[in-house]
Amino acid sequence: MGSVESLKSVAAIIKQNVEDDTEQVVVCSAMSGVTNQLVKIGELLEQSQNDSAFETFSSVQNLHFSAAKDLGVELDFKEAAKPIFYDLENIIKGVGLIHEISDRSRAYLCAFGEKLSTRLLTAFLKKEGVNAYQVDSVNVKTEGNDFLEDDIEWESTEKHLGDELKILLSEDKMPVMTGFFGTNPEGSLALLGRGGSDFSGAIVAKSLKWPTLEIWTDVDGFLSADPRVVSDAQLISEIGFEEVSELCFFGAKVLHPKTIRPVTDADGSVWIKNTFKPEVLGTKISKKVSKNCHSAVAISSKKVAIITMDMFGTQLSEKRFDVLEKIFDILRRFKLAPDAMASSEALVSFCVPEGFCADTTFLEELAEIAPTETHCGREVICVVCPEEVKGRPGVAVELFKAVAEVGVSIEMYSQNASEIAQLIVVKGEDAPKTIRSIHEKLATGVCNI
Ligand code: ASP
Ligand code: MG
């Protein structure tokens, strides 16, 4: 929902479905940049910068009003959005008085982008002759653990949301629902985490027991590598959910990783499609995919630091598992799940996001447990293999050969038992050529089986 142009394309796609008699529920994220601006408003108010907060509020307001004007729905949108802007202004005033914002208020503040975008799209769809009906996602029920990234209470969500949407559909109303948030058991608004609108779409699909979720975005789908690194990266037409989870986790920002499970677990499919090129088929994600003859489906990467801890350097009285427990406790406190991990009798190595290289508190805490070495500026490359490589001999050899051929030394390696993801860590400056070589040897070319 980036621009007037994309709103028009979205509306055209929806109209086409109506013409084809395809039943649909539309879930919207905010217009682009809006959620960030709302986050910013919260920060500005905390820092007592009320004037700047109100300026940001005005820019959010202007963005929507000008889009509404371009879409020819200025009056209808103003009418529908009036109570929403009124609420938003009031919460800004309230927080602006005390300069303190709780997670509860922050969640409430950040959800306005979706409340506005759905009202805008609904007004435009109505003008275009679609019987659209705006829905705030209050029936997405959450568990109440966290205002900013809550978990779903599936049973009541499926019941209440499913019933609400079914009734609307039976009345021939096409729901346009807010993504990104739900309500917790106390009735307060709770967010589903940044980028959570994709997940909201999956929640709708599961609640209606529908087999298809389409995520309309600004890319063609998942690519076999980052096209900025690999110029002949290819669009992946079909991929399994385990493979795609690895890809999302390792830097492919196409999709919120939680999105896939609820749909593929029910044997449904998630499609990634490009709003601006609806004719491109996109990527289909499902539980099982048809055969892939290559050793790798895709390669992704992210910048990390390697931390190596010398277990022999700890006091002899300490047991190895006690030391590991202490390491994991620190990782837990810093909310870190290590990206790759390798251990031997003497050493434990793991990767953390590169920012932790400069985090002295974190590094000092680790150093209290055992002598610690930090290697900054590294890149973890995740080679995602198709499910059927499991048990196929020689895949790691192929990988190591591809890396060796460009004269790069692997600093860390790990493969999980599903054999779907192979991780290697190399120096940052070596990463692009390494990725290109792996892509060429493992993900493309004539099939070797
Ligand atoms: N608008 C929310 C965000 O920016 C949710 C989403 O876009 O999926 O995080
Ligand atoms: Mg999004």
Side-chain angles (χ1 to χ4, degrees), residues 71-109:
L71 294 168
V73 292
E74 210 179 357
L75 287 181
D76 289 346
F77 173 69
K78 274 199 170 146
E79 179 73 24
K82 206 169 156 189
I84 308 299
F85 280 126
Y86 179 79
D87 266 11
L88 175 54
E89 196 172 345
N90 274 336
I91 184 172
I92 297 176
K93 282 184 187 156
V95 176
L97 285 176
I98 47 175
H99 308 301
E100 194 182 65
I101 183 163
S102 62
D103 281 354
R104 183 199 297 257
S105 320
R106 204 184 296 279
Y108 193 75
L109 176 62

Side-chain angles (χ1 to χ4, degrees), residues 7 38 55 64 91 101 105 133 153 159 185 190 209 272 287 301 312 334 375 379 394 397 401 408 424 432-433:
L7 277 157
L38 296 166
E55 272 164 35
H64 288 89
I91 184 172
I101 183 163
S105 320
Y133 188 88
E153 215 291 281
K159 163 137 189 39
K209 300 192 173 50
I272 312 293
K287 208 173 198 170
S301 70
F312 281 159
F334 283 82
H375 303 274
E379 199 150 325
V397 173
K401 258 172 82 181
V408 171
I424 58 168
K433 65 176 173 190

Side-chain angles (χ1 to χ4, degrees), residues 35-174:
T35 311
N36 286 343
Q37 279 180 304
L38 296 166
V39 171
K40 183 88 200 161
I41 290 176
E43 288 166 3
L44 288 167
L45 294 172
E46 271 181 311
Q47 297 154 5
S48 308
Q49 298 187 44
N50 290 16
D51 289 349
S52 308
F54 275 102
E55 272 164 35
T56 313
F57 167 67
S58 297
S59 92
V60 169
Q61 210 167 18
N62 291 338
L63 176 82
H64 288 89
F65 286 155
S66 102
K69 194 169 165 213
D70 291 345
L71 294 168
V73 292
E74 210 179 357
L75 287 181
D76 289 346
F77 173 69
K78 274 199 170 146
E79 179 73 24
K82 206 169 156 189
I84 308 299
F85 280 126
Y86 179 79
D87 266 11
L88 175 54
E89 196 172 345
N90 274 336
I91 184 172
I92 297 176
K93 282 184 187 156
V95 176
L97 285 176
I98 47 175
H99 308 301
E100 194 182 65
I101 183 163
S102 62
D103 281 354
R104 183 199 297 257
S105 320
R106 204 184 296 279
Y108 193 75
L109 176 62
C110 290
F112 278 96
E114 278 69 13
K115 292 183 184 172
L116 293 168
S117 66
T118 45
R119 283 166 172 86
L120 180 59
L121 182 65
T122 305
F124 183 54
L125 284 168
K126 279 189 177 157
K127 179 184 160 234
E128 296 283 294
V130 177
N131 193 19
Y133 188 88
Q134 195 277 342
V135 177
D136 282 322
S137 47
V138 287
N139 280 323
V140 170
K141 304 289 184 192
T142 69
E143 288 193 338
N145 305 320
D146 186 345
F147 283 106
L148 303 179
E149 186 160 1
D150 212 351
D151 296 313
I152 298 300
E153 215 291 281
W154 284 107
E155 217 182 292
S156 62
T157 298
E158 283 177 64
K159 163 137 189 39
H160 292 105
L161 184 65
D163 287 351
E164 178 186 21
L165 296 174
K166 273 180 230 154
I167 290 171
L168 290 172
L169 291 165
S170 71
E171 293 167 347
D172 260 340
K173 291 178 180 142
M174 197 213 60

Side-chain angles (χ1 to χ4, degrees), residues 29-30 35 114 180 194-198:
S29 65
T35 311
E114 278 69 13
F180 190 36
R194 289 306 305 268
S197 294
D198 298 341

